[in-house]
Amino acid sequence: MLSHSPDMMNIGPIDVYMHTLGTNLQTVVYSDMEQETEAWRMYVERKNIVLEFLHSDLSPHLLRRHHKRIELLKKCSYYIEILPKHLALGDQNHLMLPTTMFQLIDPWRFQRMKKVGTIQTKIQLLLLTDLLQELERGRAELLRFLETCDSVASFLSRWDAAKQRLASLSEQMDYFLALLVPGRLYVKHRLVSDVGVTKIPHIRLVLSTKMPVTFDRRESVAHENWVSLKWFVASQQPQLEQYELSFKLLEPRTPQERVHCGIMPVTSNTCEIRNLLPDRLYRFTVKRAETYTLVYEQWHDAILLKTKPYHGEEMESAMSEP
């Protein structure tokens, strides 16, 4: 009977062990590769989400446009508008409302609502400014996140915080866009007094805006002792409005010149002011005339014009030369 040496007896189990070990190592290698591939896929996908948000909702161009829009809103005139509940804001049919509507509204209550409209407008403008600053800070934070998390592991480890910031900024952007349009005034008390009217009309109050009145810098010119002024309202068809034009002499030289100023009503978008002093600097201001429904108007456009020197003085000085 042949005997087997110990080395010969262990060859079989060793082969099995080495095969199993190789298979396990291969599985581990494949598993690590799959995890790295999955991590890279998540990294690329989530990074693209951040980049898309930065390039669309928080792009520098869009934020600049929002900034200009806020500056424009700060220059607008704000009014209370009375509408039947079935009409939408901007519907021209409300112009057909009877003029007796204001006669039914209690004047003291309406004045109180005007104060509410003023406060609501100021708060809305402040909120818009704060929200835009927060959006700009959010953009800077997201850019720092992309710059500092330059590896897949660091990016994915901070993704939950970044995702929450994205959701917060998205909500703030929606709120910001909603605030760009003046909203409804919430009436806590009845505006219509009990005057024995059989059927009290259902009304609602909303805030409406008018674009600012701006001088036409090209068409507004100064002459020797008079000026020709022109102004316009951007993105608005010419219409009959009441304006208030004021002028004031700057740096008066005598006590009599200190009263060289005035205010005049104008019903068009042009005006000539005469009997001015030659070779002097004047400040002109234009605004809409105040109406019963005006609640907020903080900004008025102004222009500086200097009248031309008196030609008679030039001729006299020329004739006096040898």
Side-chain angles (χ1 to χ4, degrees):
M1 186 173 184
L2 297 175
S3 62
H4 301 281
S5 64
D7 292 339
M8 294 294 294
M9 293 179 61
N10 292 333
I11 291 177
I14 289 175
D15 288 341
V16 174
Y17 171 76
M18 292 301 295
H19 176 74
T20 304
L21 178 62
T23 303
N24 291 339
L25 288 174
Q26 190 177 24
T27 303
V28 171
V29 171
Y30 286 155
S31 178
D32 290 342
M33 291 179 60
E34 290 176 357
Q35 290 180 4
E36 291 179 2
T37 303
E38 178 63 18
W40 178 258
R41 185 192 64 79
M42 294 173 60
Y43 167 76
V44 172
E45 179 182 293
R46 293 172 179 179
K47 186 176 182 178
N48 287 336
I49 292 175
V50 178
L51 291 173
E52 176 64 23
F53 190 72
L54 287 172
H55 294 157
S56 57
D57 294 50
L58 293 183
S59 69
H61 173 70
L62 189 60
L63 293 177
R64 284 194 297 267
R65 284 181 54 190
H66 289 328
H67 180 76
K68 292 180 180 179
R69 180 70 182 274
I70 293 176
E71 293 304 311
L72 179 62
L73 288 174
K74 291 179 179 178
K75 296 178 180 180
C76 288
S77 305
Y78 292 79
Y79 298 84
I80 282 184
E81 194 168 355
I82 302 176
L83 296 176
K85 287 191 174 181
H86 64 278
L87 288 183
L89 179 61
D91 195 329
Q92 297 300 315
N93 290 329
H94 74 274
L95 299 176
M96 302 302 294
L97 288 175
T99 56
T100 56
M101 179 66 71
F102 277 104
Q103 298 177 4
L104 299 176
I105 295 177
D106 184 278
W108 182 84
R109 295 176 182 174
F110 187 74
Q111 289 298 324
R112 186 169 60 180
M113 287 308 304
K114 286 180 64 174
K115 293 180 180 179
V116 173
T118 302
I119 295 173
Q120 182 169 317
T121 301
K122 291 180 178 180
I123 292 175
Q124 184 171 344
L125 293 174
L126 288 174
L127 280 175
L128 283 171
T129 303
D130 291 343
L131 283 170
L132 184 58
Q133 292 176 352
E134 180 63 25
L135 292 172
E136 291 172 341
R137 284 193 295 267
R139 173 179 172 79
E141 291 176 7
L142 292 177
L143 288 174
R144 283 195 301 269
F145 169 68
L146 293 177
E147 293 172 358
T148 56
C149 297
D150 52 355
S151 67
V152 175
S154 61
F155 183 95
L156 295 179
S157 65
R158 296 174 57 185
W159 171 247
D160 288 340
K163 183 172 64 175
Q164 292 178 2
R165 191 69 174 116
L166 283 171
S168 174
L169 290 172
S170 181
E171 291 179 359
Q172 290 174 349
M173 177 60 77
D174 292 340
Y175 186 35
F176 175 85
L177 295 176
L179 280 178
L180 284 176
V181 181
R184 177 178 177 179
L185 278 172
Y186 295 95
V187 185
K188 294 183 179 180
H189 307 282
R190 289 174 56 185
L191 289 178
V192 180
S193 302
D194 188 5
V195 290
V197 180
T198 56
K199 186 177 180 181
I200 298 176
H202 295 284
I203 61 174
R204 60 191 174 100
L205 301 182
V206 294
L207 285 173
S208 63
T209 60
K210 288 186 178 181
M211 299 292 283
V213 183
T214 307
F215 278 113
D216 189 328
R217 263 63 183 176
R218 292 185 178 181
E219 297 294 331
S220 298
V221 293
H223 303 275
E224 184 178 296
N225 61 350
W226 64 284
V227 295
S228 175
L229 301 172
K230 185 176 182 179
W231 53 89
F232 62 93
V233 178
S235 67
Q236 177 177 304
Q237 295 295 329
Q239 56 181 340
L240 186 62
E241 282 194 88
Q242 295 285 338
Y243 301 99
E244 185 178 281
L245 184 66
S246 62
F247 70 96
K248 182 179 181 181
L249 173 66
L250 301 182
E251 300 180 356
R253 300 168 185 172
T254 64
Q256 292 79 9
E257 289 183 356
R258 292 179 180 175
V259 295
H260 212 261
C261 57
I263 301 175
M264 57 189 68
V266 184
T267 57
S268 65
N269 66 333
T270 59
C271 182
E272 293 181 356
I273 303 179
R274 298 185 175 272
N275 300 320
L276 302 179
L277 298 176
D279 198 21
R280 304 298 292 275
L281 186 64
Y282 285 86
R283 183 177 188 268
F284 304 92
T285 305
V286 66
K287 67 174 185 175
R288 289 187 177 88
E290 187 170 346
T291 62
Y292 185 62
T293 59
L294 178 67
V295 297
Y296 184 80
E297 188 181 46
Q298 189 69 19
W299 179 87
H300 305 139
D301 195 20
I303 186 174
L304 298 179
L305 293 175
K306 186 176 183 180
T307 53
K308 295 181 179 180
Y310 180 52
H311 291 292
E313 295 179 355
E314 295 178 358
M315 296 179 60
E316 291 175 2
S317 60
M319 293 177 62
S320 63
E321 293 179 356

